[in-house]
Amino acid sequence: MAERSPTLQAFLDVLETTILDVSDAGSDHARVTKKTFAALTEPGPQTPRLRTENPACTHIQPVLDTARNVRSVKALATAFRALEPEIAWSARADRKTGDPNFPNAHATGMIIGDGGLEARQDLRMGASLLAPNTFYPNHQHPPEEVYIALTPGHWRQEAGPWREPGIGGLVYNPPNIIHAMQSGASALLAIWMLPPG
Ligand SMILES: [Fe+2]
């Protein structure tokens, strides 16, 4: 059986605890988190990465400093900081906006799944980063999804209103729903997971 790196395991443990602590017992947030972590009990193939970055990554450390002052996400921000030097951040070439700076203003860091630290096909987990005042365009995917926000930021589903979960807040996206994100005056950093089908 593959052995998971202690840094990744520590991050996963804190992520699970943090989300379950802030979610209601019967919520979709809790259900998706439990489903994801039940699958993660069995480690997949470990695929160490050399860290890569783009200009948006200059925002990571400052927003983690802020998150570490917020009690509900202090441990998660600390565990993510420890894991972050292993993450290969990159811009998503398949996401298009009218903003010519968009490729330099966002980055995705895969944690679990293709391009991540644990290559497996049954589920995906990663981090999304937006520089201040950046719009991340509409997208959709068959798996449902849970985000936990480590910063302020706005989320939208279909043509609905923008919502602000706040630091430590959660977002649930049902399967295939169209959704988008938008940062305000500060950068947006959030961890997301797509559970097994
Ligand atoms: Fe998504």
Side-chain angles (χ1 to χ4, degrees), residues 139 141 145 147 173 179:
H139 63 286
H141 34 72
E145 177 175 41
Y147 287 86
N173 289 322
H179 54 285

Side-chain angles (χ1 to χ4, degrees), residues 18-73:
T18 302
I19 296 180
L20 293 179
D21 277 355
V22 296
S23 58
D24 296 326
S27 64
D28 288 316
H29 310 116
R31 179 181 53 76
V32 167
T33 301
K34 286 177 184 166
K35 194 171 167 185
T36 301
F37 282 91
L40 284 171
T41 306
E42 185 75 35
Q46 303 299 291
T47 48
R49 301 279 160 193
L50 286 177
R51 184 178 187 273
T52 61
E53 63 174 27
N54 75 354
C57 293
T58 57
H59 298 286
I60 296 171
Q61 294 306 329
V63 299
L64 288 178
D65 286 343
T66 301
R68 289 173 79 187
N69 291 320
V70 177
R71 197 161 58 94
S72 63
V73 294

Side-chain angles (χ1 to χ4, degrees), residues 33-196:
T33 301
K34 286 177 184 166
K35 194 171 167 185
T36 301
F37 282 91
L40 284 171
T41 306
E42 185 75 35
Q46 303 299 291
T47 48
R49 301 279 160 193
L50 286 177
R51 184 178 187 273
T52 61
E53 63 174 27
N54 75 354
C57 293
T58 57
H59 298 286
I60 296 171
Q61 294 306 329
V63 299
L64 288 178
D65 286 343
T66 301
R68 289 173 79 187
N69 291 320
V70 177
R71 197 161 58 94
S72 63
V73 294
K74 182 181 171 65
L76 180 58
T78 302
F80 185 73
R81 170 169 285 180
L83 183 66
E84 196 276 324
E86 301 177 25
I87 293 178
W89 295 93
S90 62
R92 291 279 305 242
D94 57 335
R95 303 283 190 243
K96 307 277 187 226
T97 71
D99 177 0
N101 192 44
F102 183 62
N104 290 324
H106 82 283
T108 297
M110 288 297 296
I111 298 170
I112 306 282
D114 277 343
L117 302 171
E118 184 165 313
R120 55 195 294 162
Q121 301 300 317
D122 58 336
L123 64 93
R124 279 182 286 163
M125 178 185 291
S128 290
L129 173 67
L130 300 181
N133 301 307
T134 301
F135 172 67
Y136 189 96
N138 278 334
H139 63 286
Q140 63 189 129
H141 34 72
E144 54 190 343
E145 177 175 41
V146 164
Y147 287 86
I148 181 166
L150 286 170
T151 62
H154 308 256
W155 273 257
R156 183 181 70 186
Q157 295 177 336
E158 307 284 353
W162 287 99
R163 294 184 194 284
E164 284 192 74
I167 298 178
L170 305 174
V171 174
Y172 170 71
N173 289 322
N176 285 312
I177 199 164
I178 293 171
H179 54 285
M181 294 182 287
Q182 164 93 55
S183 57
S186 58
L188 181 157
L189 177 66
I191 313 290
W192 48 263
M193 64 185 78
L194 308 179

